Amino acid sequence: MSDESQTRKEELAEEIRRLEARAGGMLPGIAAIAMFMIFMTILNAFAALRGVFGAGGIKYSVLAVCTLLAVGVFGLLRLKKWGWAIVTAGCLVLSSGDFFFFEKTKVGFFLIRALLVLVFFLYLVRASVRDRMR
């Protein structure tokens, strides 16, 4: 019985180590998405400050969204559930906006970026990524 008990304890310890390894740490994809999204946030914030989006309410709306997304990116890097939610929503909004701009302008850049950000969104909604958030 002692051998069976010891074997069972070792199996449980191994299972616990596997679960802790799965639940902890950042995936490389999360870091890459965070870098891309902070880059897009900085570009859009500078574009808004230069008046690319127009003057008035739209400019301040873009700045507010950029601020929220920057906060979400830093939350995602700390593996917080709220940061994950903000960045996931930001990926979906950015992708849908790029699809809209592609439809209006027929510029291929928007389609490529929309598909890339859509892949980021699909990566973030996977269960294995969600399980790592605290």
Side-chain angles (χ1 to χ4, degrees), residues 9 14 20 27 30 50 53 59 64 70 100 109 120 134:
K9 284 181 185 179
E14 181 63 31
E20 286 175 348
L27 292 169
I30 293 175
R50 294 191 71 209
F53 299 114
K59 174 176 151 177
F100 174 77
F109 167 76
F120 289 167
R134 291 179 243 131

Side-chain angles (χ1 to χ4, degrees), residues 25-119:
M26 182 183 306
L27 292 169
I30 293 175
I33 291 170
M35 287 189 301
F36 178 79
M37 292 305 283
I38 200 72
F39 177 72
M40 291 304 300
T41 300
I42 291 169
L43 283 181
N44 283 326
F46 282 130
L49 290 173
R50 294 191 71 209
V52 172
F53 299 114
I58 294 174
K59 174 176 151 177
Y60 296 114
S61 305
V62 169
L63 287 174
V65 169
C66 287
T67 303
L68 183 64
L69 193 55
V71 169
V73 165
F74 291 120
L76 179 66
L77 288 173
R78 295 183 54 90
L79 298 177
K80 300 292 184 182
K81 185 77 90 172
W82 56 265
W84 169 85
I86 292 172
V87 172
T88 303
C91 284
L92 190 60
V93 168
L94 181 61
S95 179
S96 61
D98 283 343
F99 279 126
F100 174 77
F101 285 130
F102 173 72
E103 179 63 31
K104 294 294 180 190
T105 64
K106 302 296 187 220
V107 176
F109 167 76
F110 290 116
L111 179 62
I112 293 168
R113 191 171 71 180
L115 291 173
L116 177 69
V117 176
L118 186 61
V119 167

